[in-house]
Amino acid sequence: MQYNKTKMEQLVKNEPELHKRLKQVMKEMELEKSFALKALYHSEVKDGGKYQKSYQDL
């Protein structure tokens, strides 16, 4: 499974909990949105993550 920025943005838009987590990561780690999206992908989606199925369905 590969990272796709458009899919990840859509997933964040569809999942309120993930959107909240994105804002938290951006604030805590002082990251730009694009980097925070990648971080969320690796922690919450990739390799059996909580949102992997939703991401694949997009």
Side-chain angles (χ1 to χ4, degrees):
M1 196 166 67
Q2 282 192 315
Y3 172 77
N4 181 300
K5 183 179 179 182
T6 307
K7 275 186 172 183
M8 197 60 193
E9 287 174 338
Q10 186 64 40
L11 181 63
V12 168
K13 189 187 292 187
N14 294 343
E15 299 286 343
E17 186 178 319
L18 203 53
H19 185 266
K20 186 176 169 184
R21 182 82 174 107
L22 174 66
K23 296 293 182 185
Q24 181 182 12
V25 167
M26 288 172 66
K27 183 178 179 183
E28 286 178 4
M29 299 183 179
E30 298 179 2
L31 293 174
E32 293 177 17
K33 184 177 179 181
S34 61
F35 294 118
L37 280 171
K38 279 187 180 183
L40 276 181
Y41 170 77
H42 288 289
S43 67
E44 304 289 339
V45 177
K46 191 175 179 188
D47 297 330
K50 182 177 178 181
Y51 297 98
Q52 182 175 2
K53 177 74 171 117
S54 299
Y55 182 83
Q56 288 174 330
D57 290 344
L58 290 176

